[in-house]
Amino acid sequence: MTAETKRLLTTSKAISEAIAQEMERDASVFAMGEDIGTYGGIFGATEGLLAKFGPERVMDTPISETGFIGAATGAAIAGMRPIVELMFVDFFGVAMDQIYNHMAKIHYESGGNVKVPVVLTTAIGGGYSDGAQHSQTLYGLFAHLPGMKIVVPSTPYDAKGLMISAIRDDNPVLYMFHKGVMGLGWMTPNPRATGHVPEEPYTIPIGKADVKRPGKDVTIVTLSLMVHRALDAAEDLAREGIDAEVIDLRSVIPLDREAIIESVKKTHRLLVVDEDYRSFGLTGEVITSVIEGAFDHLDVPPARLAYPDVPIPYSRPLEQFCLPNRETIAAAARQLVG
Amino acid sequence: MPSNDTLRAMHRQMVRIRLFEETIQQSYFEGKLPAFDIAAGPVPGEMHLAAGQEPVAAGVCAHLRPSDTVTATHRPHHVALAHGMDMRRMAAEIFGKDTGLGHGKGGHMHLFDPATNFGCSGIIAEGMPGAVGAALAARKQGRDDIAVSFFGEGAANQGAFHESLNLAAVWKLGVVFVCEDNDWAISVPKAKSTAIASNADRAAAYGMPGVLIPDNDPVAVYEAAGEAVARARRGGGPSLIEVKTQRLLGHFEGDPQLYRTAEEMERLKATDALHIFERRLVDTGVLSEADAAEAWAAARAEVDDAIGFARTSPYPQPSDALLHVFA
Ligand SMILES: Cc1ncc(C[n+]2csc(CCOP(=O)(O)OP(=O)(O)O)c2C)c(N)n1
């Protein structure tokens, strides 16, 4: 692709563009949440939508999360396709019952007769000293609860295609964007948060991982902002002659186990990198899938780097100690190869 | 009417809160400009300041003792200082230092102080049930200590608000619920989130007195809080006080505030309750100009000392992150 044909967008612009295009295409799509109207969403995911579609289709809500998240489920069952945002995933506790006992279970409880096409959007992740209640990722927690699909894009291109797929999906989809991949002007600059996004609508299948960097020596499975960190680490490793393959899961549910196993069959080494808490979560699930599906192909025991099992501390040196980063990812990969 | 000593003490309280927060604000922007980077500088992360809301903290906390429990929100500094939190250890926590209240684990939205029975939460309305529990414990332990829960008008639409009021009322607990109505929940004005004009009216639904203070006047807050605190202390049950206060700054520092008009910002500046109160005390002879100047100078010295302490304190060891998960 030549530079002239590139259409560069940040991830947040890619998401709001996807929502706008679906709202134009389908009158049953509407958006609601806290500060999504005039403010455009604290992380910009709904920027410009109020001006385009008006307050009937882009609704600022009171701070009544059980109410409006539950209402999204009710409206979806009644034939609408709501997109409902709750700013930070850390806040989901206040509306948990509506999410995991209702949104996620009604289709199953109805024996498949009732559909709940809600897209529940939220920001995840830390690294900027926002403390224990504003920095978690928590997709492992929601992935444990059957009935919701979960997408966690890392690039503007994926973000748009996955949002369109999520809106068109007949199931509840939890759409989680890391604050660090949004390309926001007030976060630490991240060149990987801006990229080519075609103007015309397109979909990316939910449940399909993407090889963000092909390699033959070690497979690094990760997602969200950690994809960026892993790609940085892979550049360092390449200079040492280690060729790392970086797999971006993009979806947690369904998990693309085939893509992971395929890669491990080629590299024979597995490192899983995750910003979510270490125990009982994504890293364990990925490693188990490989043990079950490609055990004989592993040359060395699989390794994982994740957030230690502690709440997220505020102070910078404490938080940075806990987070996987370029150096620790490269070191872990080196050890597997070495 | 509060005594002249009390009026002067409330003035001093409001002044030290304002100066503390102004100094935190300056520190916050260090290292973040010209291109704002929320992760940079000596005070990273989100920062919610309470300029304009000092009358609520000063008027209510004037009636409290350290053994009374206070819970606050993501915007906690004014309440913490008014309730007697050590300014040095509070500043150190905001700077993420080992000498901070929580050894840097909590940060500005998570200040916990056993010495003054203070706690706060970044989750809207979720500090309220804890206040109910503190009042319940006081009764079980035979103490006449009470609990005060501060929250914004936005929080009054969250389930925890309604559950907490009902619990406190049905168990007749010594809780004072203080709604700081600054008219804004981030970018959403109260009129767009709340179908009635006054949250004080909601008190009736739970069987407790509800009082509206319409004008951010520290004296009116002091008087209403005096009654509510006395009632709570003598076992008379909970009360709800709503104060129409003012958010002079953005929701958080760095908030572009495109949702507010220039006229509103001008009006706020002209009606800054701290300056109006100070003028009134001087005009009525409660405070001399020299007293007023002395209050600002004393606060300046106290704040500089606290911020200096915070700046020069060491950071915790990185691996200390793994401590304190369990007792
Ligand atoms: C449960 C929950 N929902 C949403 C938020 C995000 N949020 C933080 S502050 C805020 C507005 C709060 O408004 P108000 O209660 O009036 O307090 P103020 O900020 O005006 O002091 C919101 C929506 C949160 N922290 N917790």
Side-chain angles (χ1 to χ4, degrees):
Chain A
M1 190 181 311
T2 65
E4 300 86 76
T5 63
K6 278 201 174 183
R7 185 172 168 270
L8 295 179
L9 291 190
T10 60
T11 302
S12 74
K13 292 248 179 345
I15 293 172
S16 60
E17 178 170 281
I19 297 174
Q21 289 176 348
E22 286 303 287
M23 287 180 72
E24 271 159 17
R25 188 187 63 82
D26 181 348
S28 68
V29 178
F30 73 102
M32 61 177 163
E34 291 159 18
D35 304 282
I36 69 156
T38 318
Y39 202 106
I42 297 299
F43 305 101
T46 53
E47 209 177 280
L49 297 184
L50 176 66
K52 217 176 258 159
F53 298 102
E56 279 297 317
R57 291 186 76 192
V58 181
M59 304 172 71
D60 272 329
T61 60
I63 308 172
S64 307
E65 290 91 356
T66 289
F68 71 76
I69 291 177
T73 296
I77 291 170
M80 301 299 287
R81 300 188 90 83
I83 301 163
V84 61
E85 175 171 307
L86 179 48
M87 224 177 277
F88 291 70
V89 73
D90 314 68
F91 307 161
F92 278 33
V94 299
M96 197 64 181
D97 187 73
Q98 284 299 327
I99 298 167
Y100 91 105
N101 261 334
H102 294 84
M103 190 184 291
K105 289 181 181 169
I106 286 176
H107 178 70
Y108 183 81
E109 290 169 324
S110 74
N113 286 319
V114 175
K115 291 193 177 105
V116 189
V118 177
V119 182
L120 178 55
T121 64
T122 190
I124 63 171
Y128 63 102
S129 299
D130 218 4
Q133 296 177 342
H134 288 76
S135 304
Q136 303 171 98
T137 49
L138 296 187
Y139 35 72
L141 175 65
F142 291 92
H144 187 66
L145 307 166
M148 279 173 293
K149 296 186 179 179
I150 301 179
V151 298
V152 189
S154 73
T155 66
Y157 179 83
D158 290 350
K160 178 169 176 180
L162 283 167
M163 177 53 84
I164 292 178
S165 296
I167 295 169
R168 295 182 188 176
D169 201 290
D170 276 340
N171 297 284
V173 179
L174 181 48
Y175 187 105
M176 310 174 98
F177 45 79
H178 196 295
K179 296 153 225 168
V181 311
M182 293 295 268
L184 299 165
W186 45 278
M187 286 272 164
T188 307
N190 172 4
R192 295 190 195 276
T194 302
H196 173 66
V197 178
E199 185 160 10
E200 65 281 5
Y202 60 92
T203 58
I204 288 178
I206 296 175
K208 276 269 165 279
D210 184 43
V211 178
K212 284 287 187 294
R213 181 190 192 282
K216 58 179 183 359
D217 296 331
V218 55
T219 297
I220 303 177
V221 173
T222 187
L223 72 174
S224 193
L225 182 63
M226 284 298 144
V227 172
H228 303 198
R229 303 279 185 264
L231 289 170
D232 291 342
E235 284 175 12
D236 298 344
L237 291 166
R239 279 190 289 276
E240 302 164 21
I242 297 172
D243 190 14
E245 176 147 307
V246 176
I247 295 193
D248 178 357
L249 290 173
R250 299 195 296 194
S251 303
V252 180
I253 304 288
L255 181 64
D256 191 350
R257 298 174 209 272
E258 293 72 34
I260 301 165
I261 288 168
E262 232 13 72
S263 174
V264 170
K265 283 183 176 169
K266 180 172 70 171
T267 66
H268 311 293
R269 292 173 181 86
L270 172 67
L271 171 65
V272 190
V273 179
D274 189 11
E275 191 181 324
D276 206 349
Y277 301 121
R278 178 182 174 92
S279 299
F280 306 97
L282 182 112
T283 54
E285 188 60 36
V286 169
I287 288 171
T288 304
S289 302
V290 170
I291 300 282
E292 288 170 345
F295 184 71
D296 294 342
H297 294 271
L298 284 168
D299 282 356
V300 289
R304 57 173 158 169
L305 260 185
Y307 207 92
D309 297 323
V310 304
I312 297 173
Y314 159 69
S315 184
R316 187 186 288 123
L318 302 181
E319 188 188 18
Q320 295 304 325
F321 172 82
C322 293
L323 282 166
N325 60 41
R326 179 178 193 149
E327 287 75 32
T328 55
I329 295 169
R334 224 174 266 131
Q335 208 164 14
L336 284 178
V337 176
Chain B
M1 190 66 194
S3 71
N4 285 354
D5 277 349
T6 301
L7 289 171
R8 282 190 286 266
M10 279 172 23
H11 170 258
R12 283 182 106 81
Q13 191 63 270
M14 289 168 63
V15 167
R16 67 194 278 276
I17 292 168
R18 177 68 60 92
L19 271 187
F20 177 80
E21 288 212 311
E22 279 180 6
T23 312
I24 289 290
Q25 186 183 37
Q26 283 158 14
S27 313
Y28 183 75
F29 282 102
E30 270 173 39
K32 289 196 180 62
L33 298 174
F36 185 84
D37 176 355
I38 192 170
V43 183
E46 280 175 75
M47 177 55 62
H48 312 83
L49 298 175
Q53 301 183 194
E54 297 92 346
V56 192
V60 173
C61 294
H63 299 283
L64 303 183
R65 51 199 195 204
S67 53
D68 291 328
T69 291
V70 170
T71 68
T73 68
H74 56 287
R75 199 181 303 287
H77 302 161
H78 56 318
V79 182
L81 287 172
H83 190 44
M85 182 178 282
D86 181 81
M87 193 189 276
R88 285 182 140 204
R89 297 192 63 208
M90 179 175 162
E93 185 62 26
I94 295 169
F95 277 74
K97 298 300 183 72
D98 199 28
T99 52
L101 289 161
H103 301 283
K105 292 233 164 66
H108 114 97
M109 281 187 275
H110 310 288
L111 303 167
F112 292 93
D113 182 23
T116 56
N117 292 289
F118 182 93
C120 52
S121 173
I123 309 296
I124 300 308
E126 296 296 328
M128 302 184 70
V132 175
L136 179 65
R139 187 167 71 197
K140 285 182 185 295
Q141 294 160 355
R143 293 183 279 120
D144 69 348
D145 295 321
I146 66 155
V148 182
S149 170
F150 289 83
F151 56 95
E153 88 292 338
N157 294 316
Q158 228 256 39
F161 164 89
H162 299 273
E163 297 184 23
S164 299
L165 263 69
N166 185 57
L167 263 188
V170 76
W171 290 342
K172 229 179 164 201
L173 295 171
V175 187
V176 180
F177 296 100
V178 181
C179 179
E180 299 186 77
D181 178 0
N182 61 18
D183 200 36
W184 289 98
I186 312 185
S187 70
V188 179
K190 183 181 174 193
K192 279 203 183 158
S193 70
T194 309
I196 57 171
S198 170
N199 277 307
D201 292 348
R202 290 179 166 180
Y206 300 100
M208 69 175 78
V211 182
L212 168 67
I213 311 292
D215 53 6
N216 208 20
D217 171 13
V219 174
V221 174
Y222 177 88
E223 291 187 331
E227 239 175 80
V229 167
R231 182 177 135 85
R233 245 190 245 302
R234 65 167 186 267
S239 313
L240 172 62
I241 298 172
E242 177 192 26
V243 186
K244 297 249 183 232
T245 185
Q246 295 182 322
R247 199 188 83 196
L248 299 182
L249 302 170
H251 171 71
F252 38 56
E253 290 309 292
D255 179 356
Q257 295 205 82
L258 302 175
Y259 49 88
R260 274 173 134 177
T261 63
E263 296 79 65
E264 179 183 354
M265 299 315 286
E266 280 310 306
R267 183 164 41 79
L268 286 178
K269 237 186 257 160
T271 52
D272 183 335
L274 171 53
H275 297 302
I276 290 175
F277 184 51
E278 181 169 295
R279 196 61 1 247
R280 190 163 100 206
L281 295 189
V282 171
D283 289 348
T284 53
V286 176
L287 207 61
S288 69
E289 295 279 4
D291 290 341
E294 196 276 328
W296 285 91
R300 181 78 269 159
E302 185 192 10
V303 169
D304 286 349
D305 168 74
I307 301 289
F309 173 76
R311 283 185 186 278
T312 54
S313 288
Y315 280 106
Q317 288 302 314
S319 61
D320 287 357
L322 306 179
L323 305 177
H324 305 129
V325 179
F326 295 108

